[in-house]
Amino acid sequence: MKLKTLGMGVAALALAISGASFTAQPAFAAGKLTVSSPQDPGSWDPIDTFLVAWAAVSTNIFEGLTYRGPDLKLVPGLAESWEELDEGKRLRFTLRKDVKFHNGEPFNAAAVKFTFDRLLGEEGAKGPQRSNYIVIDSVEVIDDYTVDLKLKNPDPVLLTKLAGYGAMIVPPQYIAEKGEEFFNTNPVGTGPFKFVSYAPKASISLAANPDYWGGAPKLSELEYRFISEPATAVAELQFGRVDLVIPPTIPIGMIPTIESDNNLEIVSVPGPTVDALRFNTRDGITADPRVRKAIIMAVDRAAIVQSILAGQGAEIASFQSALSFGYDAELKPLPYDPEGARKLLQEAGVPEGATLQIDVRGNDATMNEVAQAISFYLQSIGLNVSVTPHETSTLINDIIPQGKTGAMFQQKWGGWTFDYDNTAYAMYHTGEKWNPYDKDETLDKLLESQRPMTDRAEREKVLKEIGAYVAGKALELPLYNTNAIYAINKRVKGFVPAPDTRLKLNEVTVE
């Protein structure tokens, strides 16, 4: 079986053919789909996470006012329509009628207000999502099915943000009755599948919502198993105990094994996910920008993409993909120049054999291979490098946010809005969860200045300036943008791969 690589136009066509739009379907559901996901997000509350692994599951449980499918087009979700008022400082949403949460309580304007008051209040302040929505000043209920978001200033990305993560609409009565902790592990939304059970670090089970406003799902059951080890996930796929393995599980080296099985296939689509090794700019030798630039120059990233990624990715100069608004095709990465790197280390007074540690996700087989290659490159310029794998949730929820990394640490980012702001603000603005080391007033001002801009060309110019500024400061070693690689059993029909791994599976069937 040959590798299928789908461009965005083909993905859009597949979406139309599969009928994955909001059209009513027969109230018949049969069959179970079992999905392997590499990570348990630990909480199912929309305001608690940034993880793609959360969205891969929760897109089937929760919904936002807007929806963005695999074709990346923004369409109505729980809102039938919207309009801009007051020169973009007020968004008025007309809501769908006769929509119910899985527990039976009605979806209405009060639920929308509760969701955003909660997100922007004390509960939201505990999680990583709040900063994406701070442009919202208040929420005003006009009537049961009309609600206004009053904005501090226009936000050109807000409608896209409303399609994911923290903006998912949650049930007020259920949370009031059951409490926040219970909601974390017993989610209730309005989506096509209902929560059934959750076994932490093992699985989550969902059942079809026959009363779904978009039509009953074609599947009766949907189970996600959390399998962090790629070899185990592939073995389960081969034995038929898993039907679909989602990104970023599949290492490049395992693609031939999957392709050789007549019952399986690989489906690959261009995606927004980028990988970098970010620097500890506060401590040790990497506090010196000359050392950071030397490290970047010592690594042949083009060779890594060619030899390790086997064409399933592209080299990047900034921490975003070519699909991202704000991407600058003219920005070039520092060249591969080992001799120049050695000179910079000498200028910085770094002794031969100086040590540094690279922290990576232990279940990311591709990155572990890349990190070993990088360690060899750095050893060639006189640095003594160790690669330390960590359990993914520990690395991203504790080690990075608390500023406890080594000299370099892996950052994998989905960039799900396909807008550089979503990545850059989270990575570089002072005080953000993913920025434990840097405080840069100039960069903060640049990041803040582009958010209210309604002139698309002017905003793009500032985003490109941010990319160039970060590259000039050498805040990270940009590596590559990878395709979203799915492995699937051929008995699964109607599957449309999502570039951002946010899979809505109500149109899928299993033979």
Side-chain angles (χ1 to χ4, degrees), residues 209-230:
N209 175 12
D211 302 318
Y212 179 54
W213 63 266
K218 295 179 179 179
L219 292 167
S220 57
E221 298 177 73
L222 182 56
E223 180 185 22
Y224 288 80
R225 293 176 55 196
F226 307 121
I227 305 175
S228 61
E229 175 54 49

PDB file of all heavy atoms in Angstrom, residues 209-230:
ATOM      1  N   ASN A 209     -24.538  10.111  20.622  1.00  0.00           N
ATOM      2  CA  ASN A 209     -25.607  10.985  21.114  1.00  0.00           C
ATOM      3  C   ASN A 209     -26.722  10.967  20.068  1.00  0.00           C
ATOM      4  O   ASN A 209     -26.634  11.662  19.052  1.00  0.00           O
ATOM      5  CB  ASN A 209     -25.071  12.400  21.307  1.00  0.00           C
ATOM      6  CG  ASN A 209     -26.137  13.407  21.694  1.00  0.00           C
ATOM      7  OD1 ASN A 209     -27.261  13.019  22.032  1.00  0.00           O
ATOM      8  ND2 ASN A 209     -25.800  14.688  21.636  1.00  0.00           N
ATOM      9  N   PRO A 210     -27.773  10.174  20.284  1.00  0.00           N
ATOM     10  CA  PRO A 210     -28.815  10.037  19.250  1.00  0.00           C
ATOM     11  C   PRO A 210     -29.593  11.319  19.011  1.00  0.00           C
ATOM     12  O   PRO A 210     -30.251  11.458  17.973  1.00  0.00           O
ATOM     13  CB  PRO A 210     -29.723   8.937  19.816  1.00  0.00           C
ATOM     14  CG  PRO A 210     -29.510   8.986  21.294  1.00  0.00           C
ATOM     15  CD  PRO A 210     -28.078   9.387  21.487  1.00  0.00           C
ATOM     16  N   ASP A 211     -29.521  12.255  19.962  1.00  0.00           N
ATOM     17  CA  ASP A 211     -30.262  13.505  19.848  1.00  0.00           C
ATOM     18  C   ASP A 211     -29.389  14.659  19.355  1.00  0.00           C
ATOM     19  O   ASP A 211     -29.794  15.823  19.461  1.00  0.00           O
ATOM     20  CB  ASP A 211     -30.873  13.873  21.207  1.00  0.00           C
ATOM     21  CG  ASP A 211     -31.798  12.799  21.734  1.00  0.00           C
ATOM     22  OD1 ASP A 211     -32.582  12.259  20.923  1.00  0.00           O
ATOM     23  OD2 ASP A 211     -31.731  12.491  22.933  1.00  0.00           O
ATOM     24  N   TYR A 212     -28.222  14.333  18.825  1.00  0.00           N
ATOM     25  CA  TYR A 212     -27.309  15.376  18.376  1.00  0.00           C
ATOM     26  C   TYR A 212     -27.982  16.247  17.318  1.00  0.00           C
ATOM     27  O   TYR A 212     -28.591  15.732  16.372  1.00  0.00           O
ATOM     28  CB  TYR A 212     -26.034  14.756  17.823  1.00  0.00           C
ATOM     29  CG  TYR A 212     -25.027  15.757  17.314  1.00  0.00           C
ATOM     30  CD1 TYR A 212     -24.586  16.805  18.120  1.00  0.00           C
ATOM     31  CD2 TYR A 212     -24.512  15.653  16.025  1.00  0.00           C
ATOM     32  CE1 TYR A 212     -23.671  17.730  17.658  1.00  0.00           C
ATOM     33  CE2 TYR A 212     -23.578  16.568  15.555  1.00  0.00           C
ATOM     34  CZ  TYR A 212     -23.177  17.607  16.372  1.00  0.00           C
ATOM     35  OH  TYR A 212     -22.258  18.534  15.909  1.00  0.00           O
ATOM     36  N   TRP A 213     -27.855  17.553  17.467  1.00  0.00           N
ATOM     37  CA  TRP A 213     -28.546  18.481  16.569  1.00  0.00           C
ATOM     38  C   TRP A 213     -28.100  18.346  15.115  1.00  0.00           C
ATOM     39  O   TRP A 213     -28.858  18.666  14.191  1.00  0.00           O
ATOM     40  CB  TRP A 213     -28.357  19.926  17.051  1.00  0.00           C
ATOM     41  CG  TRP A 213     -26.922  20.393  17.052  1.00  0.00           C
ATOM     42  CD1 TRP A 213     -26.052  20.354  18.092  1.00  0.00           C
ATOM     43  CD2 TRP A 213     -26.202  20.972  15.967  1.00  0.00           C
ATOM     44  NE1 TRP A 213     -24.820  20.859  17.741  1.00  0.00           N
ATOM     45  CE2 TRP A 213     -24.888  21.260  16.433  1.00  0.00           C
ATOM     46  CE3 TRP A 213     -26.529  21.285  14.642  1.00  0.00           C
ATOM     47  CZ2 TRP A 213     -23.915  21.836  15.626  1.00  0.00           C
ATOM     48  CZ3 TRP A 213     -25.552  21.859  13.834  1.00  0.00           C
ATOM     49  CH2 TRP A 213     -24.266  22.119  14.327  1.00  0.00           C
ATOM     50  N   GLY A 214     -26.878  17.866  14.900  1.00  0.00           N
ATOM     51  CA  GLY A 214     -26.383  17.679  13.536  1.00  0.00           C
ATOM     52  C   GLY A 214     -26.710  16.325  12.954  1.00  0.00           C
ATOM     53  O   GLY A 214     -26.277  16.013  11.840  1.00  0.00           O
ATOM     54  N   GLY A 215     -27.476  15.512  13.691  1.00  0.00           N
ATOM     55  CA  GLY A 215     -27.797  14.164  13.231  1.00  0.00           C
ATOM     56  C   GLY A 215     -27.053  13.120  14.036  1.00  0.00           C
ATOM     57  O   GLY A 215     -25.898  13.337  14.425  1.00  0.00           O
ATOM     58  N   ALA A 216     -27.668  11.996  14.275  1.00  0.00           N
ATOM     59  CA  ALA A 216     -27.047  10.941  15.069  1.00  0.00           C
ATOM     60  C   ALA A 216     -25.769  10.435  14.395  1.00  0.00           C
ATOM     61  O   ALA A 216     -25.718  10.281  13.172  1.00  0.00           O
ATOM     62  CB  ALA A 216     -28.030   9.784  15.257  1.00  0.00           C
ATOM     63  N   PRO A 217     -24.720  10.169  15.171  1.00  0.00           N
ATOM     64  CA  PRO A 217     -23.490   9.616  14.592  1.00  0.00           C
ATOM     65  C   PRO A 217     -23.726   8.258  13.941  1.00  0.00           C
ATOM     66  O   PRO A 217     -24.666   7.541  14.296  1.00  0.00           O
ATOM     67  CB  PRO A 217     -22.559   9.478  15.814  1.00  0.00           C
ATOM     68  CG  PRO A 217     -23.111  10.404  16.830  1.00  0.00           C
ATOM     69  CD  PRO A 217     -24.601  10.415  16.611  1.00  0.00           C
ATOM     70  N   LYS A 218     -22.875   7.911  13.026  1.00  0.00           N
ATOM     71  CA  LYS A 218     -22.978   6.612  12.357  1.00  0.00           C
ATOM     72  C   LYS A 218     -22.333   5.499  13.182  1.00  0.00           C
ATOM     73  O   LYS A 218     -22.554   4.322  12.906  1.00  0.00           O
ATOM     74  CB  LYS A 218     -22.342   6.699  10.965  1.00  0.00           C
ATOM     75  CG  LYS A 218     -23.086   7.643  10.027  1.00  0.00           C
ATOM     76  CD  LYS A 218     -22.418   7.721   8.667  1.00  0.00           C
ATOM     77  CE  LYS A 218     -23.193   8.665   7.741  1.00  0.00           C
ATOM     78  NZ  LYS A 218     -22.560   8.790   6.419  1.00  0.00           N
ATOM     79  N   LEU A 219     -21.512   5.867  14.161  1.00  0.00           N
ATOM     80  CA  LEU A 219     -20.930   4.913  15.090  1.00  0.00           C
ATOM     81  C   LEU A 219     -21.785   4.850  16.350  1.00  0.00           C
ATOM     82  O   LEU A 219     -22.399   5.840  16.748  1.00  0.00           O
ATOM     83  CB  LEU A 219     -19.516   5.349  15.493  1.00  0.00           C
ATOM     84  CG  LEU A 219     -18.417   5.317  14.445  1.00  0.00           C
ATOM     85  CD1 LEU A 219     -17.203   6.086  14.942  1.00  0.00           C
ATOM     86  CD2 LEU A 219     -18.035   3.878  14.121  1.00  0.00           C
ATOM     87  N   SER A 220     -21.793   3.696  17.001  1.00  0.00           N
ATOM     88  CA  SER A 220     -22.482   3.583  18.283  1.00  0.00           C
ATOM     89  C   SER A 220     -21.538   3.819  19.449  1.00  0.00           C
ATOM     90  O   SER A 220     -21.949   4.319  20.496  1.00  0.00           O
ATOM     91  CB  SER A 220     -23.142   2.202  18.415  1.00  0.00           C
ATOM     92  OG  SER A 220     -22.177   1.177  18.269  1.00  0.00           O
ATOM     93  N   GLU A 221     -20.255   3.472  19.269  1.00  0.00           N
ATOM     94  CA  GLU A 221     -19.270   3.613  20.350  1.00  0.00           C
ATOM     95  C   GLU A 221     -17.966   4.183  19.809  1.00  0.00           C
ATOM     96  O   GLU A 221     -17.576   3.904  18.669  1.00  0.00           O
ATOM     97  CB  GLU A 221     -18.978   2.262  20.999  1.00  0.00           C
ATOM     98  CG  GLU A 221     -20.154   1.580  21.659  1.00  0.00           C
ATOM     99  CD  GLU A 221     -19.757   0.213  22.193  1.00  0.00           C
ATOM    100  OE1 GLU A 221     -19.034   0.168  23.212  1.00  0.00           O
ATOM    101  OE2 GLU A 221     -20.153  -0.788  21.566  1.00  0.00           O
ATOM    102  N   LEU A 222     -17.309   4.921  20.672  1.00  0.00           N
ATOM    103  CA  LEU A 222     -16.025   5.512  20.339  1.00  0.00           C
ATOM    104  C   LEU A 222     -15.134   5.396  21.566  1.00  0.00           C
ATOM    105  O   LEU A 222     -15.471   5.904  22.636  1.00  0.00           O
ATOM    106  CB  LEU A 222     -16.212   6.976  19.938  1.00  0.00           C
ATOM    107  CG  LEU A 222     -15.002   7.794  19.502  1.00  0.00           C
ATOM    108  CD1 LEU A 222     -14.281   7.124  18.335  1.00  0.00           C
ATOM    109  CD2 LEU A 222     -15.439   9.208  19.118  1.00  0.00           C
ATOM    110  N   GLU A 223     -14.031   4.695  21.417  1.00  0.00           N
ATOM    111  CA  GLU A 223     -13.112   4.514  22.542  1.00  0.00           C
ATOM    112  C   GLU A 223     -11.725   5.026  22.170  1.00  0.00           C
ATOM    113  O   GLU A 223     -11.225   4.755  21.074  1.00  0.00           O
ATOM    114  CB  GLU A 223     -13.004   3.041  22.946  1.00  0.00           C
ATOM    115  CG  GLU A 223     -12.055   2.823  24.128  1.00  0.00           C
ATOM    116  CD  GLU A 223     -11.843   1.356  24.473  1.00  0.00           C
ATOM    117  OE1 GLU A 223     -12.073   0.500  23.594  1.00  0.00           O
ATOM    118  OE2 GLU A 223     -11.429   1.072  25.614  1.00  0.00           O
ATOM    119  N   TYR A 224     -11.125   5.777  23.090  1.00  0.00           N
ATOM    120  CA  TYR A 224      -9.748   6.227  22.933  1.00  0.00           C
ATOM    121  C   TYR A 224      -8.890   5.514  23.969  1.00  0.00           C
ATOM    122  O   TYR A 224      -9.179   5.570  25.169  1.00  0.00           O
ATOM    123  CB  TYR A 224      -9.641   7.737  23.146  1.00  0.00           C
ATOM    124  CG  TYR A 224     -10.234   8.560  22.037  1.00  0.00           C
ATOM    125  CD1 TYR A 224     -11.603   8.774  21.969  1.00  0.00           C
ATOM    126  CD2 TYR A 224      -9.427   9.136  21.052  1.00  0.00           C
ATOM    127  CE1 TYR A 224     -12.166   9.524  20.957  1.00  0.00           C
ATOM    128  CE2 TYR A 224      -9.979   9.886  20.035  1.00  0.00           C
ATOM    129  CZ  TYR A 224     -11.348  10.081  19.989  1.00  0.00           C
ATOM    130  OH  TYR A 224     -11.901  10.836  18.985  1.00  0.00           O
ATOM    131  N   ARG A 225      -7.864   4.844  23.491  1.00  0.00           N
ATOM    132  CA  ARG A 225      -6.896   4.217  24.396  1.00  0.00           C
ATOM    133  C   ARG A 225      -5.629   5.056  24.405  1.00  0.00           C
ATOM    134  O   ARG A 225      -5.146   5.482  23.345  1.00  0.00           O
ATOM    135  CB  ARG A 225      -6.598   2.789  23.946  1.00  0.00           C
ATOM    136  CG  ARG A 225      -7.795   1.853  24.071  1.00  0.00           C
ATOM    137  CD  ARG A 225      -7.475   0.480  23.512  1.00  0.00           C
ATOM    138  NE  ARG A 225      -6.279  -0.082  24.138  1.00  0.00           N
ATOM    139  CZ  ARG A 225      -5.590  -1.107  23.655  1.00  0.00           C
ATOM    140  NH1 ARG A 225      -5.978  -1.694  22.521  1.00  0.00           N
ATOM    141  NH2 ARG A 225      -4.530  -1.562  24.267  1.00  0.00           N
ATOM    142  N   PHE A 226      -5.090   5.307  25.575  1.00  0.00           N
ATOM    143  CA  PHE A 226      -3.896   6.136  25.705  1.00  0.00           C
ATOM    144  C   PHE A 226      -2.665   5.231  25.692  1.00  0.00           C
ATOM    145  O   PHE A 226      -2.342   4.574  26.684  1.00  0.00           O
ATOM    146  CB  PHE A 226      -3.962   6.973  26.980  1.00  0.00           C
ATOM    147  CG  PHE A 226      -5.228   7.761  27.085  1.00  0.00           C
ATOM    148  CD1 PHE A 226      -6.090   7.592  28.147  1.00  0.00           C
ATOM    149  CD2 PHE A 226      -5.585   8.661  26.083  1.00  0.00           C
ATOM    150  CE1 PHE A 226      -7.275   8.308  28.225  1.00  0.00           C
ATOM    151  CE2 PHE A 226      -6.766   9.373  26.144  1.00  0.00           C
ATOM    152  CZ  PHE A 226      -7.614   9.194  27.223  1.00  0.00           C
ATOM    153  N   ILE A 227      -2.026   5.181  24.534  1.00  0.00           N
ATOM    154  CA  ILE A 227      -0.861   4.306  24.334  1.00  0.00           C
ATOM    155  C   ILE A 227       0.324   5.190  23.975  1.00  0.00           C
ATOM    156  O   ILE A 227       0.412   5.722  22.868  1.00  0.00           O
ATOM    157  CB  ILE A 227      -1.130   3.272  23.222  1.00  0.00           C
ATOM    158  CG1 ILE A 227      -2.404   2.475  23.541  1.00  0.00           C
ATOM    159  CG2 ILE A 227       0.065   2.341  23.067  1.00  0.00           C
ATOM    160  CD1 ILE A 227      -2.819   1.505  22.442  1.00  0.00           C
ATOM    161  N   SER A 228       1.216   5.368  24.912  1.00  0.00           N
ATOM    162  CA  SER A 228       2.327   6.298  24.710  1.00  0.00           C
ATOM    163  C   SER A 228       3.462   5.698  23.893  1.00  0.00           C
ATOM    164  O   SER A 228       4.199   6.415  23.224  1.00  0.00           O
ATOM    165  CB  SER A 228       2.866   6.777  26.067  1.00  0.00           C
ATOM    166  OG  SER A 228       3.350   5.681  26.829  1.00  0.00           O
ATOM    167  N   GLU A 229       3.608   4.379  23.943  1.00  0.00           N
ATOM    168  CA  GLU A 229       4.707   3.726  23.237  1.00  0.00           C
ATOM    169  C   GLU A 229       4.304   3.441  21.789  1.00  0.00           C
ATOM    170  O   GLU A 229       3.372   2.674  21.527  1.00  0.00           O
ATOM    171  CB  GLU A 229       5.073   2.413  23.946  1.00  0.00           C
ATOM    172  CG  GLU A 229       6.128   1.586  23.244  1.00  0.00           C
ATOM    173  CD  GLU A 229       7.404   2.364  22.959  1.00  0.00           C
ATOM    174  OE1 GLU A 229       7.909   3.022  23.891  1.00  0.00           O
ATOM    175  OE2 GLU A 229       7.873   2.327  21.793  1.00  0.00           O
ATOM    176  N   PRO A 230       4.988   4.059  20.805  1.00  0.00           N
ATOM    177  CA  PRO A 230       4.610   3.879  19.398  1.00  0.00           C
ATOM    178  C   PRO A 230       4.571   2.424  18.949  1.00  0.00           C
ATOM    179  O   PRO A 230       3.646   2.026  18.230  1.00  0.00           O
ATOM    180  CB  PRO A 230       5.686   4.667  18.645  1.00  0.00           C
ATOM    181  CG  PRO A 230       6.136   5.710  19.623  1.00  0.00           C
ATOM    182  CD  PRO A 230       6.089   5.049  20.954  1.00  0.00           C
TER     183      PRO A 230
END
